[in-house]
Amino acid sequence: MTMNVPLRREDVNDMSSVHIGQTVMPKGPARVEIGLSAAIVSVSRDEPLIMCVPTDADGETVDALPSGPFSPLEHRTLDAGLRAWVADQTDLDLGYVEQLYTFGDRGRHAQPFDQTPHTVSIGYLALTRKPVDADDSASEGAVWRSWYDFFPWEDWRQGKPSLLTDEIEPRLIEWASRVDTEPKAFRTVSRLERVRMAFGFDGGAWDEERVLDRYELLYDAGLVHEARRDGREVSLTWGALPKFGTPMLFDHRRIFATAIGRLRGKLKYRPVIFEMMRDEFTLFELQKTVEAILGPHLHKQNFRRLVESAGLVEPTGDVRAKTGGRPAKLYRFRRDVLIERPAPGVRVKPGRA
């Protein structure tokens, strides 16, 4: 007769192995490492940028976010640990930083019974200003890259990307029409409904904040490189695929997608856009920076009317000479708006330029 006796923690730690059903589990508790990753965003020359640290992975150079493990002995706080790793890898002294999300999905960093620690990643969004005359290098090994290199389907400044129409949408529809083997208990909406909501199919509106939803759909459908790298079976059902954005190390593109969605949403109710602007700027420069972050073009006159009426900026009294045109008035962020309004953001809607 076999008796099921509950295991105590001290029993597990003292045993060479533990039998659970037919599986033999290795001795000791699972090892978990806390990783800190920063999506550092800036805008330069009307282009949204992300700071990357090229890293060797299995003999290939792949882009990674500045990151490193949290050490309780060296870092007083998680925030201090993040800033220390960023300073070491990029020479940047971060200003605005906010925690995004904790990513702990199993299978991204280790295989079953792998003795290396499983990493739980804590993602952060950081904003900074890139000097106009700076090159693409921040320090040895760290580079600025356009974030649309990684998410080309998110750039609507020239209209709807052809990559969506010609490549992504047909494949997502095909994937959504396949038999869904996921247990019904885990489904809240169908695949096709997920695609419609995330990508605005069938007359639906494109929601610029749903960057993570769109990336995760492409991953679930096996269309992005990370799905094949992680051994997702669905990725093997496709033949040759075009490149759907530049892949990143581990789950860094997922962290990056979360950061873009957070920033796009936040600039509508907090004046975070000015963290990436120079102290003095023209309204045209401000509009181009907002467009770079959100993706679509904005209606010029409506944008200027909204920014001025919302009290977000004030004129400096100076102008900047422009080649072949009238001098442009210079403005600065009006900090009193932080006291006057509870949500002083740039609430814009896409429109014609």
Side-chain angles (χ1 to χ4, degrees):
M1 179 177 178
T2 302
M3 297 180 62
N4 292 322
V5 180
L7 288 171
R8 299 172 299 170
R9 183 182 299 273
E10 55 269 29
D11 294 330
V12 174
N13 290 336
D14 289 340
M15 297 171 65
S16 60
S17 64
V18 177
H19 291 259
I20 300 179
Q22 298 300 314
T23 303
V24 179
M25 304 297 289
K27 176 184 176 180
R31 297 167 59 202
V32 176
E33 182 179 88
I34 296 177
L36 307 171
S37 301
I40 306 172
V41 174
S42 188
V43 176
S44 179
R45 298 183 179 90
D46 304 335
E47 196 65 28
L49 305 172
I50 183 73
M51 173 59 68
C52 293
V53 180
T55 304
D56 180 73
D58 298 327
E60 273 186 74
T61 300
V62 61
D63 285 310
L65 298 176
S67 59
F70 171 68
S71 171
L73 298 179
E74 298 180 28
H75 306 139
R76 187 177 63 85
T77 64
L78 295 170
D79 184 90
L82 178 82
R83 292 175 184 273
W85 282 114
V86 168
D88 180 63
Q89 296 173 8
T90 71
D91 286 340
L92 289 177
D93 184 14
L94 296 181
Y96 179 93
V97 174
E98 70 168 278
Q99 191 176 126
L100 288 170
Y101 193 68
T102 300
F103 303 84
D105 293 357
R106 206 180 73 189
R108 301 188 327 268
H109 298 270
Q111 299 300 318
F113 305 116
D114 190 345
Q115 296 302 305
T116 58
H118 174 66
T119 300
V120 173
S121 300
I122 302 177
Y124 288 81
L125 167 65
L127 308 180
T128 190
R129 299 173 188 175
K130 179 176 181 283
V132 174
D133 57 350
D135 60 20
D136 288 337
S137 298
S139 69
E140 185 177 355
V143 294
W144 290 104
R145 301 201 192 283
S146 169
W147 76 20
Y148 293 126
D149 290 346
F150 303 92
F151 302 96
W153 56 87
E154 296 290 337
D155 187 1
W156 286 58
R157 290 174 295 178
Q158 302 298 323
K160 184 176 180 179
S162 59
L163 181 67
L164 274 172
T165 305
D166 300 339
E167 304 289 351
I168 291 178
E169 291 181 357
R171 287 181 171 86
L172 283 177
I173 291 173
E174 178 187 340
W175 170 75
S177 66
R178 297 176 185 174
V179 176
D180 192 347
T181 58
E182 187 177 42
K184 290 184 179 180
F186 295 102
R187 287 187 236 159
T188 54
V189 294
S190 69
R191 286 179 176 179
L192 187 56
E193 287 171 323
R194 286 179 62 199
V195 171
R196 284 172 174 165
M197 289 187 292
F199 285 86
F201 282 5
D202 296 336
W206 174 272
D207 185 345
E208 65 272 4
E209 295 179 39
R210 303 190 73 161
V211 186
L212 179 61
D213 290 344
R214 287 187 281 271
Y215 173 73
E216 290 192 327
L217 264 172
L218 293 172
Y219 182 93
D220 289 348
L223 295 175
V224 291
H225 174 80
E226 288 89 336
R228 179 162 295 190
R229 179 201 65 196
D230 295 348
R232 301 278 298 199
E233 290 185 10
V234 66
S235 67
L236 303 178
T237 64
W238 302 103
L241 289 171
K243 188 176 181 180
F244 294 122
T246 302
M248 300 187 82
L249 187 72
F250 298 143
D251 58 349
H252 288 196
R253 195 155 42 148
R254 186 182 178 208
I255 296 173
F256 185 15
T258 307
I260 296 176
R262 174 73 63 86
L263 181 56
R264 284 179 169 181
K266 194 150 193 169
L267 69 79
K268 298 173 186 177
Y269 64 90
R270 295 301 298 168
V272 293
I273 194 69
F274 298 102
E275 297 284 345
M276 294 174 284
M277 302 294 299
R278 286 181 289 175
D279 291 337
E280 297 184 354
F281 47 84
T282 67
L283 290 185
F284 181 73
E285 290 169 342
L286 179 60
Q287 177 180 336
K288 287 298 181 182
T289 301
V290 174
E291 288 176 344
I293 296 296
L294 287 182
H297 268 303
L298 305 172
H299 189 284
K300 181 178 179 180
Q301 295 305 322
N302 287 351
F303 177 82
R304 296 189 173 209
R305 192 179 305 116
L306 180 148
V307 170
E308 291 178 315
S309 64
L312 293 171
V313 298
E314 59 186 5
T316 66
D318 295 328
V319 297
R320 181 179 297 155
K322 295 194 301 183
T323 303
R326 292 185 303 172
K329 292 182 180 179
L330 289 173
Y331 292 79
R332 58 175 166 248
F333 173 51
R334 195 175 73 88
R335 296 194 173 276
D336 286 348
V337 75
L338 296 171
I339 302 173
E340 298 167 355
R341 292 171 51 198
V346 184
R347 297 180 179 274
V348 295
K349 292 183 178 180
R352 296 178 182 175

